[in-house]
Amino acid sequence: MSRTAAEALRAAALACAAVALVLCLVDVRSDGPRGGVLAALAAGAVCAGAWALATRGRPVPAPAPHPWRGLPSVLHRDPVDWYAAVSTLLAGATPFAAYLLAAAGEVNDAWLVLWALPLGGWFLLTLPALWRTLFRPFPERHRFLAQDARAGRVYAVRFVLETGQWVRLIDEDNRKLVDPAPSVVQMLRLRDEHGAYYGTQPLGEGVVGPSAIGPFSLFAAGCRGEHVWVVWPERWEPVLAVARRKGRPAYPVAMVSETGAMVWGYAAIDYTDRYLTDPANLHPTVPGLAARPLRPRPRFRTEVHGRMFAYLAVALAALTPVLLDVVSGAVSVGLGLLAAAALVGAPLAASGANSRIPDAGRWDVPPVQDLRVPS
């Protein structure tokens, strides 16, 4: 199946869920079947299952090739991920809608409001994630780099991207001896023309933690073994001064492949001065030439999406008797609360697993490094 068809299935599943959500909020009554809601949920389940079958085990596509014309002067922010935005909105609103559908007219207003309050709080908790997805806060240092690129000159060095690594570290101050949980660091392992190694990290993490499927991982897998350019601002001295006083002690960088794709990131101050103090690494940018930020392309992974689908199946099973109007009273309310709890658990299960479990098709996973033990 083509990538366009897989994305269409993904969009159709979200559209069906959105229709069901609207119908739940509009068709609030205590009796009668809700065939429209059930039909929308069934159609969404079919589309989600078809997407899972179409993308399971699918290799990560490489960025589309473009002739190399030089370093771009236009470095765009990552585009809005509308799939993630809609998913976040649905994740926040559907538990409340499921409970309202099952409890309206079955309990008095006081109990209805009492149980609705935590679900309303859950919706408020999802709003910061929705804001980050839509407005994509952009660090000042990276705006500084984008300005230098547009002005016409940047420091840039051509590397070979050897691999993307999912590095797991046990911090020096970790006191746990049995199964200490390592922190995860994503890194691109790069090698310059002299054989020296260099590493870059992604611009930011997801809501729960590092994303195993975001643009950075797509760049790591698609450009592995290829030449890429690491770009720093021409005015790197002010960045260094600010980094030493406050904030993250790192340089802003853009990684640009020779296919025209790019991702934003950071580079540690160590081992960077050797590139920034060499005037030969100062290059002009091509006026009007824009790099292409990558869009995340998730695929079905059992370890990530399996539990999420299981939670969604529980919610659908709990709501089906309510939608068919074969239960009422306390049973209907109980099923509504069960469905709401499952709908809250589904995105948490997926995002938690996504931040803990790397996609082996995109990342190399070296052994855990225990920083408490001298290497």
Side-chain angles (χ1 to χ4, degrees):
M1 181 179 289
S2 69
R3 187 181 73 204
T4 302
E7 292 297 297
L9 287 171
R10 185 179 171 209
L14 292 176
C16 291
V19 169
L21 170 65
V22 172
L23 292 176
C24 286
L25 296 175
V26 171
D27 189 11
V28 180
R29 50 196 165 95
S30 59
D31 59 349
R34 283 90 159 179
V37 178
L38 189 57
L41 291 177
V46 170
C47 291
W51 170 83
L53 291 175
T55 60
R56 184 176 184 179
R58 185 178 177 183
V60 178
H66 286 261
W68 176 248
R69 295 173 51 194
L71 293 170
S73 61
V74 181
L75 304 177
H76 292 294
R77 285 193 294 173
D78 292 336
V80 175
D81 187 348
W82 292 106
Y83 291 103
V86 173
S87 298
T88 303
L89 182 60
L90 291 173
T94 49
F96 175 80
Y99 167 72
L100 185 64
L101 174 80
E106 305 294 343
V107 293
N108 61 50
D109 292 343
W111 283 103
L112 184 68
V113 172
L114 178 64
W115 287 105
L117 285 176
L119 297 176
W122 163 253
F123 177 71
L124 294 178
L125 287 175
T126 63
L127 292 181
L130 181 62
W131 182 84
R132 286 182 57 181
T133 303
L134 290 175
F135 297 100
R136 301 151 296 150
F138 202 50
E140 183 183 18
R141 299 180 201 179
H142 291 79
R143 294 199 303 269
F144 200 70
L145 170 56
Q147 290 172 2
D148 279 8
R150 192 177 293 274
R153 290 204 308 176
V154 291
Y155 279 91
V157 173
R158 192 173 185 241
F159 292 87
V160 173
L161 198 166
E162 289 202 341
T163 186
Q165 290 189 331
W166 187 273
V167 182
R168 297 166 297 165
L169 305 171
I170 299 176
D171 297 331
E172 294 178 350
D173 57 354
N174 192 312
R175 299 182 180 182
K176 192 173 181 181
L177 296 177
V178 179
D179 296 329
S183 58
V184 173
V185 177
Q186 296 176 349
M187 185 181 71
L188 296 186
R189 180 179 170 90
L190 306 162
R191 177 172 46 83
D192 65 19
E193 61 179 359
H194 304 294
Y197 284 101
Y198 192 63
T200 59
Q201 296 180 19
L203 177 60
E205 297 183 349
V207 177
V208 176
S211 172
I213 59 170
F216 199 76
S217 67
L218 186 61
F219 187 88
C223 300
R224 183 176 297 171
E226 304 294 332
H227 285 99
V228 300
W229 290 80
V230 176
V231 181
W232 302 269
E234 180 187 12
R235 298 170 293 169
W236 58 270
E237 293 94 338
V239 175
L240 178 60
V242 171
R244 284 175 171 169
R245 289 200 308 269
K246 61 179 181 179
R248 189 171 182 173
Y251 286 110
V253 296
M255 282 75 72
V256 182
S257 76
E258 296 193 341
T259 62
M262 70 155 287
V263 289
W264 293 99
Y266 282 102
I269 290 177
D270 296 338
Y271 310 111
T272 301
D273 288 348
R274 63 190 180 197
Y275 301 117
L276 300 181
T277 54
D278 186 351
N281 294 329
L282 190 60
H283 297 279
T285 57
V286 179
L289 179 63
R292 296 180 295 109
L294 294 175
R295 297 179 182 272
R297 294 173 189 163
R299 61 185 181 92
F300 179 81
R301 292 196 295 141
T302 303
E303 61 271 25
V304 172
H305 298 100
R307 289 183 62 193
M308 182 184 74
F309 277 28
Y311 276 111
L312 294 177
V314 170
L316 181 58
L319 285 178
T320 298
V322 177
L323 295 170
L324 294 175
D325 195 27
V326 296
V327 295
S328 61
V331 175
S332 180
V333 175
L335 290 174
L337 289 174
L338 175 60
L343 290 170
V344 169
L348 294 178
S351 58
N354 181 51
S355 65
R356 295 191 314 271
I357 306 170
D359 185 343
R362 305 187 182 204
W363 297 101
D364 288 343
V365 186
V368 176
Q369 298 180 30
D370 193 339
L371 300 181
R372 302 171 301 181
V373 181
S375 58

